[in-house]
């Protein structure tokens, strides 16, 4: 038996030994793989933490909006900054109105210069700048409704308005909401607020406006609050499509949290959630009256997906800083006045 075992052992082929170089190479490959996997995992953890903090910020803001609306004499669902009601002067100019006001509903003063062009012209959105002071922290309505607890570990109240993933607008030619010279700059530093509100409206001279979205409306007049998108990470509003297009295709931009055609948003019921962008349509929801009877022109103002809406249908529109019904009709020329959004429109903010 022993000799048989010896014969088998001697007749077996020898296993080749692993050299020290091969062993070190193997260990090196495994180490590199572990590092790559580890860094990717750590990045994913950071992204998820950032996304969670952003949603938490939006929920705090949502609660503050509810308090603001309850105390506001005209129950505005989105606070109206003083610049909205100015009819003349430097503060009405296209640059300030278009590129600062959508962020001026709340937040802090800016600390980074807002460049108007590539030659150095610009201003600071804070108390030290003669122009930018009009939009400084003290002028922002919701800032006073976000109070911090000195005994908690919560961030400074102003930081509620800062998305931790805020890197500003990308240098992408498809972006039409920000000057090219101001892209690539974090919005919280430049404008004091990372989160942009929806301004789904028609604009006219003298800072006049007619809103067919949530802006300018009383909270109690809106329906489908869980679908009414109020504000969020600003690239959401670019993903929706080019503003000038009547039926825009989604723009496949990557949001601040690393996903294409998706980012965080706040809704009128104070809920905040991850929101995917689809092609906007003219649908109506089951709990709404059908829009089939609307004229084609008026129906074109329905901008919604299966998950959210930008328009306020069936709630009538809202006039902002207008003098007369004729001025409203001039703003909305081409739309039937006997139908939504012009029929029985709200006038919560008449011209001062």
């Amino acid at each position: 038996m022993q000799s048989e075992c010896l014969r088998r052992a001697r007749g077996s082929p020898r296993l080749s030994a692993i050299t020290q170089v091969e062993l070190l190479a193997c260990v090196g490959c495994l180490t590199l793989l572990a590092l790559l996997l580890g860094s990717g995992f750590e990045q994913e953890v950071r992204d998820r933490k950032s996304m969670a903090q952003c949603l938490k910020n939006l929920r705090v803001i949502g609660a503050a909006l509810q308090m603001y609306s309850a105390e506001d004499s005209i129950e505005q669902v989105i606070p109206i900054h003083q610049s909205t009601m100015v009819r003349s002067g430097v503060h009405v100019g296209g640059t300030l109105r278009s590129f600062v006001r959508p962020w001026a509903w709340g937040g802090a003063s800016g600390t980074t210069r807002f460049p108007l062009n590539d030659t150095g012209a610009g201003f600071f959105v804070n108390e030290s700048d003669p122009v930018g002071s009009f939009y400084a922290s003290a002028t922002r309505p919701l800032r006073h409704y976000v109070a911090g607890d000195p005994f908690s570990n919560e961030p400074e109240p102003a930081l509620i308005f800062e998305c931790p993933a805020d890197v500003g607008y990308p240098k992408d030619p498809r972006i039409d909401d920000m000057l090219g010279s101001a892209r690539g700059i974090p919005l919280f530093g430049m404008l004091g607020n990372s989160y942009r509100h929806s301004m789904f409206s028609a604009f006219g001279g003298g800072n006049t406006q007619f809103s067919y979205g949530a802006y300018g409306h009383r909270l109690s007049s809106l329906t489908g609050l869980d679908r009414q998108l109020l504000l969020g990470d600003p690239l959401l509003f670019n993903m929706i499509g080019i503003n000038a297009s009547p039926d825009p295709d989604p723009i496949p931009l990557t949001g601040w949290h690393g996903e294409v055609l998706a980012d965080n948003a706040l809704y009128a019921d104070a809920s905040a959630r991850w929101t995917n962008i689809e092609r906007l349509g003219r649908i109506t929801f089951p709990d709404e009256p059908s829009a089939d009877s609307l004229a084609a022109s008026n129906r074109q103002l329905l901008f919604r997906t299966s998950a959210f809406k930008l328009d306020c249908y069936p709630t009538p529109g809202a006039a902002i800083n207008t003098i007369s019904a004729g001025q409203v009709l001039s703003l909305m020329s081409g739309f039937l006045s006997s139908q939504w959004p012009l029929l029985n429109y709200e006038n919560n903010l008449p011209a001062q």
Side-chain angles (χ1 to χ4, degrees):
M1 180 61 121
Q2 184 176 5
S3 59
E4 179 64 23
C5 289
L6 286 172
R7 281 196 303 273
R8 289 183 180 177
R10 289 181 186 127
S12 299
R14 289 186 60 187
L15 296 175
S16 58
I18 299 176
T19 67
Q20 188 175 9
V21 173
E22 291 172 329
L23 181 60
L24 289 173
C26 184
V27 170
C29 289
L30 291 174
T31 302
L32 180 60
L33 182 61
L35 287 172
L36 291 173
L37 292 175
S39 62
F41 177 73
E42 289 175 4
Q43 182 61 48
E44 183 176 353
V45 169
R46 284 195 295 269
D47 289 345
R48 289 187 178 277
K49 184 177 179 180
S50 170
M51 185 190 303
Q53 181 60 53
C54 176
L55 283 172
K56 184 177 181 180
N57 290 351
L58 289 173
R59 291 185 183 112
V60 172
I61 290 170
L65 286 174
Q66 297 285 318
M67 289 189 290
Y68 177 90
S69 178
E71 295 185 8
D72 184 38
S73 61
I74 51 176
E75 201 193 338
Q76 291 296 285
V77 64
I78 297 173
I80 302 295
H81 188 260
Q82 61 183 1
S83 62
T84 300
M85 305 309 295
V86 177
R87 297 192 63 81
S88 62
V90 67
H91 307 297
V92 180
T95 297
L96 290 181
R97 186 175 73 178
S98 300
F99 301 126
V100 179
R101 201 170 68 186
W103 286 267
W105 52 270
S109 293
T111 57
T112 305
R113 188 178 183 82
F114 187 110
L116 294 176
N117 53 45
D118 295 326
T119 63
F123 58 91
F124 286 91
V125 183
N126 61 33
E127 296 80 359
S128 66
D129 190 289
V131 175
S133 60
F134 198 66
Y135 298 89
S137 175
T139 72
R140 303 193 177 200
L142 200 70
R143 176 67 179 85
H144 309 291
Y145 284 79
V146 181
D149 179 355
F151 302 103
S152 75
N153 293 320
E154 293 298 310
E156 170 67 23
L159 297 183
I160 292 297
F161 298 97
E162 180 181 18
C163 173
D166 179 356
V167 292
Y169 280 96
K171 295 182 181 297
D172 190 305
R174 297 171 294 180
I175 300 291
D176 59 355
D177 288 340
M178 183 54 66
L179 291 173
S181 56
R183 297 176 192 176
I185 304 172
L187 295 175
F188 182 77
M190 186 169 63
L191 300 174
N193 194 350
S194 297
Y195 304 110
R196 180 191 189 278
H197 76 69
S198 172
M199 294 189 74
F200 203 53
S201 311
F203 297 92
N207 217 13
T208 56
Q209 185 176 351
F210 186 83
S211 171
Y212 32 87
Y215 191 59
H217 280 87
R218 296 175 180 268
L219 178 61
S220 61
S221 71
L222 296 172
T223 63
L225 300 183
D226 61 329
R227 299 185 296 258
Q228 187 77 60
L229 197 155
L230 296 184
L231 55 91
D233 292 339
L235 287 178
L236 272 177
F237 299 99
N238 292 103
M239 295 174 189
I240 287 167
I242 300 296
N243 288 338
S245 173
D247 196 15
D249 290 320
I251 299 175
L253 297 169
T254 300
W256 283 348
H257 299 289
E259 296 290 335
V260 177
L261 287 174
D263 230 324
N264 289 333
L266 175 69
Y267 292 80
D269 65 345
S271 66
R273 62 180 182 267
W274 184 249
T275 298
N276 293 290
I277 298 300
E278 310 164 18
R279 183 180 176 84
L280 296 174
R282 316 297 176 193
I283 62 172
T284 49
F285 297 106
D287 57 339
E288 296 176 336
S290 171
D292 290 344
S293 62
L294 291 179
S297 57
N298 295 49
R299 189 180 173 89
Q300 286 292 314
L301 298 177
L302 296 179
F303 279 81
R304 56 212 14 226
T305 72
S306 59
F308 69 86
K309 62 178 182 175
L310 295 175
D311 62 83
C312 63
Y313 180 82
T315 302
I320 300 173
N321 204 16
T322 54
I323 297 172
S324 64
Q327 193 173 37
V328 171
L329 292 177
S330 176
L331 271 175
M332 297 295 290
S333 61
F335 299 93
L336 283 185
S337 60
S338 59
Q339 295 185 344
W340 177 89
L342 288 161
L343 181 65
N344 300 323
Y345 67 83
E346 298 179 22
N347 193 8
N348 307 313
L349 293 155
Q352 302 288 307

